[in-house]
Amino acid sequence: KMTDLSASGTAFAGSARVMAGMATTKMMKAKDSVSEIAPPSKQQLTLFGVCLMTGIALIGLSTLFLPMVVLMPQKFALLFTLGSIGIIASFGVLRGPNWLFQSMTARQRLPVSAAYVLSMIGTLVGSLYARSYLLTVAFSGAQVMALGYFTLSFVPGGVRVLNMVMGLTCGLCRRLCGMGGSKSFLPM
């Protein structure tokens, strides 16, 4: 009978450990979900504003070099890419770097995140290494689209509005070029 009691005591202790582990996991998940909905602190909001405004200012400065992108694509590309990184970093400051990494690698945002990173690399390679203004402008355009989509994906309803605008824009372009099945607006 003593072996039966020790065996049942061991089984009970094992069950208690498993249940304690499950409780700890649930508490950690609850802590994470509470921190996700907790309002940001004053310091986080201040740093968010600083990063966002710095990013916008750098992109604004880069537009000053846009007319000279044929002669000096490097200055445009560096300012534009640093501004773009500043805007994305502002979301990391607001919600935390782990949240930013998890949201960038989430299944629904992964293609946009990959396009964003590749367009940044392409912009820098096109301007610094290849010294091609065509590559710089093409990858910068892709970077703008990916940054816009990525940024609007954090706003409730932002992706739906962006998809609607993109659909209308593509439809208008097709109609202007005569590919939409109706008569083209262009005199050809």
Side-chain angles (χ1 to χ4, degrees):
K1 287 189 172 190
M2 198 59 139
T3 56
D4 289 340
L5 286 175
S6 68
S8 64
T10 306
F12 178 74
S15 296
R17 276 193 290 262
V18 168
M19 291 179 73
M22 289 171 45
T24 303
T25 303
K26 287 189 181 209
M27 285 178 43
M28 295 300 285
K29 286 182 181 178
K31 180 183 170 192
D32 290 343
S33 63
V34 167
S35 67
E36 286 177 9
I37 61 171
S41 67
K42 186 176 180 180
Q43 181 183 14
Q44 285 176 310
L45 285 174
T46 303
L47 288 173
F48 169 76
V50 167
C51 286
L52 185 65
M53 289 300 138
T54 301
I56 291 170
L58 287 171
I59 288 177
L61 280 172
S62 74
T63 60
L64 296 175
F65 289 99
L66 197 54
M68 298 182 291
V69 76
V70 175
L71 301 174
M72 295 181 291
Q74 302 87 359
K75 291 184 181 186
F76 167 77
L78 285 173
L79 287 171
F80 187 78
T81 303
L82 286 175
S84 179
I85 291 171
I87 290 173
I88 292 296
S90 68
F91 290 105
V93 167
L94 187 63
R95 303 287 301 269
N98 290 336
W99 175 86
L100 180 64
F101 179 76
Q102 288 175 354
S103 65
M104 287 184 78
T105 56
R107 176 171 279 180
Q108 68 270 18
R109 286 193 186 120
L110 193 58
V112 177
S113 299
Y116 176 67
V117 170
L118 290 174
S119 65
M120 281 194 316
I121 292 169
T123 301
L124 293 175
V125 167
S127 67
L128 299 174
Y129 181 71
R131 298 188 186 272
S132 168
Y133 71 92
L134 290 175
L135 286 176
T136 302
V137 170
F139 280 115
S140 295
Q143 190 174 344
V144 165
M145 289 190 302
L147 178 65
Y149 193 90
F150 192 74
T151 304
L152 284 176
S153 71
F154 293 122
V155 177
V159 173
R160 185 178 305 148
V161 171
L162 186 65
N163 286 336
M164 183 183 72
V165 169
M166 291 295 286
L168 291 172
T169 304
C170 289
L172 180 64
C173 289
R174 275 191 238 113
R175 195 161 176 211
L176 283 172
C177 296
M179 292 188 248
S182 63
K183 188 175 178 180
S184 172
F185 289 124
L186 297 176
M188 292 187 166

